[in-house]
Amino acid sequence: MKILKRFFVSRILLLFTGFLLPAVCSFGVPGDEHWDAQFGAMGVTNTIYAIAVNGGKLYVGGTGLPTTNTTLSFWDGNQWSNIGTFNNGASQAIIFDAVYQGNTLYVAGYFSNVNGITANGLARWDGNTWSAVGFNGIGEGLTISGSDLYVGGIFTNLDGSGVVMTNIGRWDGSIWHALGGGLGTSANVNSFVRTITVNDGLVYAGGSFTNSGAQAITNLAVWNGSTWAALGGGVNGIVYGLAVKDGSLYAAGSFTQIGSTMANNIAEWDGLNWFALDSGLNGAASGVAVFDDQVCVTGGFTSAGGVFATNFAIWNGSSWSAAGSGLSAAGSRVISNGTNIFVGGNFTVAGNIFVNGVASWDGNNWSGFGTTGKINGLSLSVFAIADDGTNLYAGGSFNYAGQTNANYIARFDGTNWYPLGVGIGPVASSTVVNAIAVTNGNVYVGGEFSSADGVSAQNIARWDGTNWSALGSGPGGVVASITVRTDGVYAAGAPFNGSVYGSPFFSRWDGTNWQTAYNINSADTFYALYLNDSHFGMDAVAFQDTNIFIGGHFNIIWYDQSSETNCMNIMRFDGTYARIVGTGLNSNVVAMAILGTNLYVAGLFTNAGGIAASHIARWDGNNWWPVGIGVVGSGTIDSLAALGTNLYAGGTFTNIGGVPAARIAKWDGNSWSALGGGTSSTVLGLYSSGADLYAGGSFKVAGNKSSYFLGHWNDQLNFNTPQLINPIWLANKQFQIRLVGISGLTNIIQATTDFHSWIPMVTNAAGIYDFTDPSASDYPYRFYRATLSP
């Protein structure tokens, strides 16, 4: 039985008036239990624009690309949960800001409902339910002052009460109040209030606007309770962030002049004058906050005051400094809770840690937020996977594996990732690992690169467990496939990735030299055709007894005494000569797999040997056959793997054989079936080992679980475990807890006082069940656990 959580209950807790926020948990669709969650990542899948902290808990939201929905994610110190799904019809929903007032969370953005509750641009969460706040517009900036909530954005007459509020308003908990004529023009989407802060009874607002009613005010204004005024003159660009420190106001944004002062993207107002902060920032600032008596700013820049600082910088009152190596991409929001700075954006790395969209800075170090054991995902696409029986190897275009810096190739021991020396390099946009083969303690890596750990190696290299070495001068071009056999290392590919012309190669390394791995019969003619922009000349190789099948984009012509036969995009090498495989396929072959006595091929083709075959076909040694009806629609198959008696296919398809399947599916010899909810984006590589199937690609979700660029499927294992959430004392002194189980399976809540004897309290198969223990108060303490029936 699998134990996920235990909750401690004591009489002392009767005095506790707070409670944990319930999480909206989902195990997706049937089959998702066979997807492992260990290859998740720190942080969240969204680009983060909004951050709120309350009671040591973190709330973040932003965009939900590639879907139109977006979620508000909640970090409780141990795991991420979703407490709200925001929708905006056919448009992309966006969460721009979030703020706590007491135990109430307000969320602003561009949305029309949350969890099915109508709420246009502003929603309120009381710890149990969502509700609207009489708002109708786009909320972009929030701040709290006492019992008042200030909202900025794009809106006007909000609640139908006749109160006209142009882009800024005040909510006192019951009704809305206008702040004079507001700021900007609500009918103009380029006119908005993005940021608000309150200090000493004054309300400061920044954004993109040119007026308050008939009064000219440009991009930054102050409200004294009765009138708006410019603050030392206008700003010649958008103001995205405001913060107050020691009575001074700091404005951050995209500008070069504020008032009459030249200032690059950030400036200080002391109540009388504007001051530049040294030479400022060389790129726009999107947020500013005060932490540890310093001003912290984030955005899209690489230097602050001439100091190298990537997307995050610190001003101590007289000079700038960086926070480690900063952020790998732009930050969008920064807030402080007094002990830490929290930053959100579209970055994946903070201070050489793979954090994924949200990070914390404590003044010395960066850290991320992720569940231990479920943060082993990679930072970018995986193309190749292999194992040695103990370790799993992944190759692709990534620079981080889990929390390990690993360039393009990494080793996973089941718990942690390890680099292979410095890895493949130098780091460049074109560098990629396409193929891996492991044998006898050696790891062979192929792709597009010029060195490995400083050793010159042209597109193929060997790792012996300690050092990298080259295989001569390379096989002749970019490597798409590697196979190691007793007689040498076989590599296939093309001279240039994406070139228009060039001869595909299939070469063998005998330990000393590279040589062509096949002979062309004098009666045969071999042509190399143009290379598809996204595929190599020879993409795939499959070995079957003494035969070697080679697929890609080329033509071989067989002559006999009376006629000639064209065989397109595939050939067979019998150990002596290259041979035709029927008439071949009418477009590129990109993947192959041997299952039993059959060869399965996949690619861009729609015809195999004159037979209609939508992107996948079977060769039985004599004839070509379709595999069901193949791909339905515009999707493709990019990878194949055989596991037991089944064939697995991965690619971009969403329907195969008439069965909905999100980019990965299984063929059992008769029909296709989906692998649960599949993956969120393209599957580029498949690898089987024992009962395990590994999928690499450009996805971040597999089986409705966080799975960053690498997924693990085992149809003999159930990786899901039931959860216990939302513990709460009821008014009648009974204890209640919610079981989030696995629908259709037997979920059990057990209780104990000594950890020796566990008493079954409830058995449930509904998936979600609120359990109340009427006897909880009879014990000085009691523990609970959720299990699955054996």
Side-chain angles (χ1 to χ4, degrees):
M1 290 186 292
K2 300 178 181 179
I3 303 172
L4 180 67
K5 290 185 177 180
R6 299 185 183 99
F7 282 99
F8 173 77
V9 180
S10 168
R11 289 184 189 274
I12 298 174
L13 293 183
L14 291 172
L15 302 175
F16 179 58
T17 59
F19 51 85
L20 293 179
L21 289 173
V24 178
C25 302
S26 172
F27 293 111
V29 300
D32 284 348
E33 68 272 14
H34 299 303
W35 284 104
D36 191 353
Q38 70 174 325
F39 294 113
M42 287 280 195
V44 293
T45 59
N46 299 358
T47 295
I48 298 304
Y49 298 137
I51 305 176
V53 179
N54 185 58
K57 298 175 177 63
L58 180 69
Y59 304 80
V60 300
T63 66
L65 295 173
T67 67
T68 55
N69 289 344
T70 190
T71 60
L72 185 72
S73 299
F74 158 61
W75 173 254
D76 64 6
N78 295 299
Q79 66 180 2
W80 286 101
S81 302
N82 165 21
I83 63 168
T85 298
F86 293 75
N87 179 271
N88 198 33
S91 299
Q92 171 67 60
I94 303 172
I95 296 173
F96 283 120
D97 204 359
V99 65
Y100 253 97
Q101 183 184 54
N103 289 321
T104 299
L105 175 67
Y106 291 93
V107 178
Y110 180 51
F111 51 81
S112 58
N113 73 78
V114 52
N115 288 1
I117 304 299
T118 298
N120 290 298
L122 183 66
R124 175 176 53 192
W125 169 256
D126 65 6
N128 289 292
T129 59
W130 288 98
S131 60
V133 196
F135 187 94
N136 186 13
I138 300 173
E140 298 188 21
L142 302 174
T143 197
I144 296 293
S145 178
S147 60
D148 292 322
L149 168 72
Y150 290 87
V151 182
I154 304 173
F155 53 85
T156 183
N157 186 13
L158 297 181
D159 59 0
S161 64
V163 178
V164 176
M165 295 171 291
T166 303
N167 298 336
I168 189 168
R170 177 173 64 89
W171 171 256
D172 67 6
S174 300
I175 59 173
W176 286 99
H177 302 268
L179 275 66
L183 297 167
T185 305
S186 61
N188 183 357
V189 295
N190 295 316
S191 179
F192 53 81
V193 172
R194 178 61 58 84
T195 178
I196 307 170
T197 192
V198 180
N199 184 58
D200 288 339
L202 299 175
V203 180
Y204 301 93
S208 174
F209 48 83
T210 58
N211 66 290
S212 173
Q215 182 182 4
I217 301 178
T218 305
N219 299 332
L220 181 60
V222 59
W223 171 257
N224 64 7
S226 59
T227 60
W228 285 103
L231 203 64
V235 185
N236 72 343
I238 301 173
V239 175
Y240 291 111
L242 295 170
V244 175
K245 174 183 173 293
D246 298 332
S248 289
L249 176 73
Y250 292 83
S254 178
F255 53 81
T256 57
Q257 182 174 336
I258 188 164
S260 60
T261 301
M262 305 305 294
N264 290 317
N265 303 311
I266 189 165
E268 176 191 356
W269 172 256
D270 69 356
L272 296 172
N273 300 291
W274 284 107
F275 298 92
L277 276 58
D278 203 328
S279 60
L281 310 167
N282 72 338
S286 56
V288 60
V290 176
F291 169 67
D292 197 22
D293 202 35
Q294 301 177 108
V295 177
C296 300
V297 61
T298 192
F301 50 82
T302 57
S303 71
V307 175
F308 183 76
T310 306
N311 303 316
F312 186 87
I314 302 167
W315 172 257
N316 66 6
S318 59
S319 63
W320 287 98
S321 62
S325 57
L327 309 174
S328 61
S332 299
R333 178 75 65 178
V334 57
I335 70 167
S336 171
N337 71 341
T339 59
N340 291 79
I341 275 282
F342 300 90
V343 186
N346 67 348
F347 51 85
T348 57
V349 177
N352 291 319
I353 296 175
F354 184 34
V355 295
N356 206 43
V358 59
S360 172
W361 169 257
D362 65 5
N364 295 294
N365 299 294
W366 288 101
S367 59
F369 304 90
T371 303
T372 302
K374 296 182 179 181
I375 53 174
N376 297 310
L378 298 105
S379 61
L380 213 55
S381 296
V382 171
F383 295 93
I385 309 165
D387 80 327
D388 60 10
T390 301
N391 299 284
L392 186 74
Y393 295 85
S397 56
F398 55 83
N399 298 117
Y400 287 85
Q403 298 301 288
T404 300
N405 182 220
N407 291 320
Y408 308 106
I409 178 74
R411 174 177 64 89
F412 185 62
D413 67 0
T415 303
N416 298 301
W417 287 100
Y418 299 90
L420 277 61
V422 176
I424 300 301
V427 175
S429 60
S430 60
T431 302
V432 67
V433 168
N434 295 314
I436 307 172
V438 184
T439 184
N440 297 325
N442 293 308
V443 181
Y444 296 89
V445 177
E448 184 174 6
F449 51 85
S450 58
S451 69
D453 205 354
V455 175
S456 177
Q458 293 299 316
N459 301 318
I460 192 166
R462 179 176 66 92
W463 171 259
D464 65 7
T466 304
N467 299 297
W468 286 99
S469 60
L471 275 65
S473 58
V478 175
V479 174
S481 172
I482 299 176
T483 306
V484 180
R485 292 171 64 87
T486 56
D487 60 344
V489 178
Y490 290 81
F496 303 102
N497 184 6
S499 68
V500 178
Y501 294 100
S503 296
F505 66 83
F506 179 54
S507 304
R508 181 174 64 89
W509 171 255
D510 62 11
T512 304
N513 298 296
W514 287 101
Q515 55 189 296
T516 299
Y518 54 80
N519 297 312
I520 298 296
N521 190 313
S522 59
D524 300 336
T525 301
F526 176 80
Y527 292 100
L529 300 182
Y530 72 92
L531 306 181
N532 181 276
D533 287 343
S534 60
H535 294 287
F536 301 100
M538 288 186 167
D539 281 287
V541 176
F543 288 78
Q544 185 186 52
D545 299 324
T546 59
N547 291 312
I548 305 173
F549 292 93
I550 307 160
H553 199 90
F554 52 81
N555 184 23
I556 182 170
I557 301 177
W558 174 266
Y559 291 89
D560 61 19
Q561 294 180 350
S562 60
S563 63
E564 63 183 45
T565 302
N566 285 276
C567 180
M568 301 292 294
N569 304 312
I570 189 169
M571 65 182 180
R572 174 177 64 89
F573 180 54
D574 63 7
T576 304
Y577 296 116
R579 305 292 186 182
I580 61 175
V581 185
T583 57
L585 307 114
N586 70 337
S587 190
N588 300 44
V589 171
V590 301
M592 292 183 177
I594 300 292
L595 182 59
T597 60
N598 294 292
L599 169 71
Y600 288 86
V601 300
L604 305 181
F605 56 84
T606 57
N607 185 288
I611 304 297
S614 182
H615 304 305
I616 186 166
R618 176 175 63 90
W619 173 256
D620 66 3
N622 296 294
N623 298 292
W624 286 104
W625 300 93
V627 182
I629 59 174
V631 172
V632 177
S634 61
T636 61
I637 297 176
D638 297 289
S639 52
L640 295 173
L643 196 164
T645 60
N646 298 313
L647 178 76
Y648 292 83
T652 65
F653 59 84
T654 55
N655 187 302
I656 187 165
V659 175
R663 290 162 282 273
I664 188 167
K666 179 179 72 174
W667 172 257
D668 64 6
N670 295 297
S671 61
W672 288 100
S673 59
L675 272 62
T679 64
S680 60
S681 192
T682 307
V683 173
L684 297 166
L686 291 173
Y687 179 79
S688 63
S689 177
D692 296 307
L693 178 72
Y694 295 92
S698 58
F699 54 84
K700 295 183 179 180
V701 175
N704 290 294
K705 300 169 186 174
S706 176
S707 195
Y708 266 61
F709 307 108
L710 181 64
H712 174 211
W713 165 275
N714 187 311
D715 62 10
Q716 299 177 23
L717 298 177
N718 186 329
F719 293 105
N720 287 350
T721 51
Q723 302 180 53
L724 294 177
I725 64 171
N726 196 26
I728 183 173
W729 284 104
L730 301 177
N732 56 7
K733 297 185 179 180
Q734 294 182 343
F735 178 73
Q736 179 178 290
I737 199 165
R738 174 169 291 183
L739 167 68
V740 181
I742 303 171
S743 181
L745 299 180
T746 303
N747 307 278
I748 304 171
I749 296 179
Q750 298 173 327
T752 187
T753 57
D754 56 15
F755 292 105
H756 295 292
S757 176
W758 288 91
I759 301 170
M761 303 298 293
V762 65
T763 299
N764 183 269
I768 298 179
Y769 178 78
D770 287 323
F771 163 69
T772 301
D773 185 356
S775 304
S777 61
D778 295 339
Y779 299 89
Y781 53 82
R782 206 174 199 191
F783 298 86
Y784 301 84
R785 71 181 182 186
T787 72
L788 287 176
S789 177

